Amino acid sequence: YILITRSGSSSFMFRYRSPIDGKTKHIKLARTSDISLAEARKRVTKLRGQIASGTDVRDEQKEKLKTISITQLIEEHYLPYVRQMKKTWWKDRDLWELRAKKRFDGIPIAKLTRQQFVAFHTDLKSEGLSASTCNHYIKFLRHALNLAVEWQMLDRNPISGMKLYREDNQVERYLDKSELKRLLTVLHSDRNRTVCNIVELLLLTGMRVSECLSLKWKNVDLDNRMLRISADDSKSKRPRSVPISTGAAKLISGLDTAGKFDYLFINRRTGKPLTTISKEWTRIRKAAGLEDVRLHDLRHSFSSYLVQSGFSLYSVSQLLGHQDVKVSARYAHLSTSALQDAANSASAVIESAMQD
């Protein structure tokens, strides 16, 4: 039979009577999206054969699953799954390879305890990582273990509901004129032209990094100076259009991938679209003396330049693709500053007139 959950996902299930204790039991075969009905029927036929020979297939499966390590879960099941479901799956892979694997490698998932993860979370903070980064590790591991429960590899998730650090998501870091000049000097002279073009386009458009790396030539309209972000590539999962400046249009028209590749920015060695520029960005920002600047800060900088030029928060919200103008409210103090400068200018004129 097929079981449909509240979230809408559906799975092939098999109901049978245990030859050991006579109880009716249920076993999940797979998601309906993962196997065909014909394959599900083949699995049922095999299971019935085992039951006929006196084996309680659910109990046997549970015993086998108890030996699965978290390494097997992540590398053989979780990452292949999220690679198809999550655009930024590689971030989870990096979290696993960088620190989580060293801590949990080889431990059976049935023997994992909440205390182990709490200690790991604490040690990450002691290492100097930000609250946000520490939380990313736990969120990734919690997701993997939630899937293990869903896949009937685990009875319960040991870190379900685990408390996370409070994050300051309102960090504002903008490039001032001297910093911007230093960065542009490096971008216009550095050897890695592809990454430099990406960084400059981020500055010129305020796009998210993932949106920029996902740009395809079919979604570029230079005549009307517009970029189309598809729903799959948008954080809000809604398509949106990004108006671009003359400078952005000039940069894009100078790229040499048009007519050769589907994507604007590709890995020259593989011919495939880039998925990250973190390592090169680290090198570039150090060369510009901007070691504390994140790629996302380029988006903040774009927004701050708009607000300080007198544009409304609504305009900023539309250009950034925010669903709610409240998200753009963090830049309100910049708007106030611009108005104060305007007021000071008017005051200067008045004072000058009084002195004449």
Side-chain angles (χ1 to χ4, degrees):
Y1 67 96
I2 294 177
L3 175 68
I4 301 177
T5 65
R6 290 182 179 179
S7 63
S9 63
S10 57
S11 303
F12 289 115
M13 304 292 294
F14 173 50
R15 180 175 57 236
Y16 70 97
R17 188 177 296 279
S18 171
I20 307 298
D21 55 24
K23 293 182 179 179
T24 298
K25 299 184 179 182
H26 305 260
I27 186 170
K28 180 178 176 180
L29 302 174
R31 287 172 176 254
T32 56
S33 59
D34 294 338
I35 64 172
S36 65
L37 177 58
E39 175 61 26
R41 285 173 173 163
K42 285 182 181 179
R43 294 188 184 186
V44 168
T45 299
K46 183 177 180 181
L47 291 172
R48 281 176 174 162
Q50 292 176 286
I51 293 169
S53 66
T55 302
D56 188 323
V57 291
R58 183 180 174 186
D59 290 347
E60 184 181 67
Q61 184 187 63
K62 278 190 172 183
E63 286 302 314
K64 288 182 179 179
L65 292 177
K66 285 181 181 179
T67 64
I68 290 180
S69 70
I70 189 170
T71 307
Q72 290 174 296
L73 170 65
I74 299 296
E75 297 179 357
E76 298 176 17
H77 301 277
Y78 177 78
L79 288 177
Y81 173 76
V82 295
R83 186 168 188 170
Q84 306 302 320
M85 306 294 290
K86 188 177 179 181
K87 188 171 184 63
T88 55
W89 69 273
W90 53 269
K91 291 184 179 180
D92 288 349
R93 179 200 62 198
D94 291 351
L95 290 173
W96 171 247
E97 294 290 346
L98 189 59
R99 290 183 177 85
K101 185 174 183 177
K102 295 176 184 177
R103 187 64 168 260
F104 300 104
D105 191 20
I107 300 177
I109 57 174
K111 293 186 178 181
L112 290 168
T113 67
R114 192 183 192 90
Q115 289 72 22
Q116 288 174 306
F117 291 100
V118 170
F120 177 58
H121 198 212
T122 302
D123 289 345
L124 291 175
K125 196 72 166 63
S126 300
E127 193 178 325
L129 299 183
S130 68
S132 177
T133 300
C134 295
N135 290 346
H136 280 317
Y137 276 94
I138 299 302
K139 290 175 183 177
F140 143 62
L141 291 167
R142 184 171 59 196
H143 185 203
L145 293 172
N146 277 338
L147 287 175
V149 173
E150 184 179 336
W151 294 333
Q152 297 186 342
M153 296 177 174
L154 200 60
D155 290 331
R156 53 179 291 277
N157 185 344
I159 52 173
S160 178
M162 179 177 158
K163 289 186 178 181
L164 303 178
Y165 295 121
R166 292 188 62 181
E167 301 177 26
D168 182 5
N169 292 324
Q170 299 299 315
V171 175
E172 297 171 10
R173 175 67 166 91
Y174 318 117
L175 297 177
D176 60 29
K177 288 184 178 180
S178 63
E179 291 175 326
L180 180 60
K181 183 178 180 180
R182 295 205 307 270
L183 177 58
L184 289 173
T185 298
V186 174
L187 294 180
H188 293 164
S189 60
D190 190 81
R191 64 179 185 276
N192 193 326
R193 300 313 310 147
T194 298
V195 172
C196 288
N197 285 330
I198 292 170
V199 173
E200 188 166 358
L201 190 60
L202 293 175
L203 272 170
L204 290 168
T205 62
M207 284 192 295
R208 298 179 178 89
V209 179
S210 59
E211 293 173 340
C212 189
L213 297 182
S214 300
L215 278 176
K216 293 183 177 180
W217 281 107
K218 67 178 182 180
N219 294 328
V220 175
D221 183 354
L222 290 177
D223 292 334
N224 294 306
R225 295 201 316 204
M226 192 74 68
L227 301 178
R228 179 75 172 173
I229 306 297
S230 68
D232 289 338
D233 300 324
S234 172
K235 183 178 181 180
S236 65
K237 299 304 177 184
R238 295 181 180 181
R240 70 185 184 95
S241 297
V242 180
I244 57 175
S245 63
T246 303
K250 182 179 179 181
L251 186 154
I252 293 172
S253 62
L255 300 177
D256 62 358
T257 52
K260 301 176 183 177
F261 301 93
D262 292 335
Y263 291 83
L264 273 66
F265 304 107
I266 56 98
N267 184 319
R268 294 293 175 177
R269 293 194 302 273
T270 65
K272 295 180 179 180
L274 287 166
T275 57
T276 179
I277 60 170
S278 298
K279 289 184 179 179
E280 282 299 285
W281 166 244
T282 298
R283 183 181 61 79
I284 288 170
R285 71 182 181 185
K286 285 183 178 179
L290 303 170
E291 296 193 30
D292 65 325
V293 178
R294 307 164 301 171
L295 277 169
H296 197 71
D297 292 329
L298 305 181
R299 182 171 163 87
H300 288 315
S301 296
F302 173 80
S303 307
S304 71
Y305 302 152
L306 288 175
V307 174
Q308 292 180 75
S309 296
F311 289 93
S312 68
L313 294 180
Y314 176 79
S315 297
V316 174
S317 178
Q318 293 299 299
L319 284 170
L320 294 183
H322 289 160
Q323 288 184 272
D324 190 337
V325 71
K326 292 179 182 178
V327 181
S328 305
R330 66 175 65 183
Y331 307 111
H333 68 284
L334 296 174
S335 179
T336 301
S337 177
L339 292 174
Q340 288 174 339
D341 289 342
N344 287 335
S345 296
S347 177
V349 172
I350 294 171
E351 290 179 4
S352 177
M354 292 179 64
Q355 293 173 0
D356 290 341

